[in-house]
Amino acid sequence: MPVYTCTAAQGTLTGESKAALAAEITRIHVAINHVPPAYVNVIFSEPPPDSVFAGGEPGAPLIVSGWVRRGHPQEEATRLALELSSAAARVTGVPEGHVMVVLQDGPARSAVEGGLVLPEPGEEKEWLARRGEFGRAS
């Protein structure tokens, strides 16, 4: 359901740190938003170093952008962003001052996964049962 894109200049993250960050993003999202781990998607984008800037200067930020379903309590969204920022710095070695986390939310009805419109927060159990009828892409 959620989609996280982690953007950092090529060479900033190792394969090991990407795997650890994907695992932490998944763990944190599952703990706060109560969805199965298999439904958390994490993608890494690594533009060349000469294509990454901060403040108009060449930089080395780690930007974690996430799309989540609208309707979760704001306190949980803020906690999610804070925990993602801390975890990103901890597992990648990028100083937290260079980590930016941006969460965008949208109506569940604006997204489709596995041929089904996403459920509203709190309606996952029925949706997952229906989703099971269609199988889960690997």
Side-chain angles (χ1 to χ4, degrees):
M1 292 179 205
V3 178
Y4 290 95
T5 303
C6 303
T7 304
Q10 289 173 352
T12 301
L13 305 176
T14 65
E16 183 178 286
S17 66
K18 287 188 273 188
L21 182 53
E24 276 297 277
I25 288 171
T26 300
R27 182 191 66 75
I28 292 165
H29 190 95
V30 167
I32 294 173
N33 287 333
H34 314 291
V35 298
Y39 288 93
V40 179
N41 300 281
V42 180
I43 301 159
F44 290 87
S45 175
E46 298 179 284
D50 64 355
S51 295
V52 181
F53 294 81
E57 300 290 327
L62 169 56
I63 301 170
V64 179
S65 303
W67 181 88
V68 296
R69 293 170 295 149
R70 184 169 294 146
H72 294 286
Q74 184 58 55
E75 301 81 32
E76 289 179 7
T78 300
R79 181 174 148 224
L80 180 62
L82 287 167
E83 288 191 26
L84 291 173
S85 179
S86 176
R90 185 179 67 255
V91 302
T92 66
V94 173
E96 193 164 7
H98 293 214
V99 175
M100 176 184 222
V101 175
V102 179
L103 298 178
Q104 301 173 10
D105 66 4
R109 66 185 176 276
S110 294
V112 172
E113 183 171 335
L116 296 173
V117 174
L118 292 183
E120 295 298 324
E123 298 176 2
E124 293 87 357
K125 188 174 181 178
E126 179 182 295
W127 186 87
L128 288 169
R130 287 188 57 222
R131 178 76 170 110
E133 297 170 13
F134 293 93
R136 172 76 172 134
S138 50

